Amino acid sequence: MVEPPTHVADVMTSPVETVSAQATVREAAGLMRTGGFSALLVPGSTTGIVTSTDVLDVVATGKDPDVIDVATVMTAPVECVTTRLGLNEVAAMMTNYEINHLPVIGDDRDYIGIVSSTDLRETLV
């Protein structure tokens, strides 16, 4: 019998997809759409994350996605998890912080993936 996934490493998306903080929101949206992602990591001195909700907020508030850059709408700094963290703990973090995506770091502290609330729902339900 195959054991069900229990750790972040079992369900995360890897490698992590990134976008520049200087990219426009439209460029980020294009990367999300092409790759089928709902969030992109924004590397830099303070790592951030931009999500499809951030993109929607730009459009819904009448701002121009060709003018607004990712740095303006991203969340930074971000909470992170390790590959060995249990899925129930990740679900609790997402609930407590009211977030849907967590970057995953490896033993060398580099970003290696991302885990989403969708990944958890598909696994834990």
Side-chain angles (χ1 to χ4, degrees), residues 33-49:
R33 183 171 190 230
T34 301
F37 309 115
S38 56
L40 300 168
L41 196 70
V42 185
S45 58
T46 301
T47 300
I49 193 167

Side-chain angles (χ1 to χ4, degrees), residues 50-98:
V50 61
T51 68
S52 55
T53 301
D54 298 324
V55 171
L56 288 171
D57 287 346
V58 168
V59 174
T61 57
K63 296 176 183 162
D64 187 346
D66 289 315
V67 174
I68 304 294
D69 63 15
V70 167
T72 302
V73 299
M74 71 181 192
T75 299
V78 293
E79 296 296 326
C80 299
V81 294
T82 66
T83 57
R84 293 184 291 279
L85 194 63
L87 297 182
N88 289 330
E89 294 160 301
V90 173
M93 281 182 72
M94 287 183 176
T95 300
N96 289 339
Y97 291 115
E98 298 179 350

Side-chain angles (χ1 to χ4, degrees), residues 15-30:
V16 65
E17 297 297 325
T18 64
V19 66
S20 166
Q22 292 77 37
T24 66
V25 169
R26 183 176 303 280
E27 290 169 326

Side-chain angles (χ1 to χ4, degrees), residues 6-12 81-87 90 104 115:
T6 58
H7 294 90
V8 170
D10 301 325
V11 300
M12 71 181 191
V81 294
T82 66
T83 57
R84 293 184 291 279
L85 194 63
L87 297 182
V90 173
V104 181
V115 62

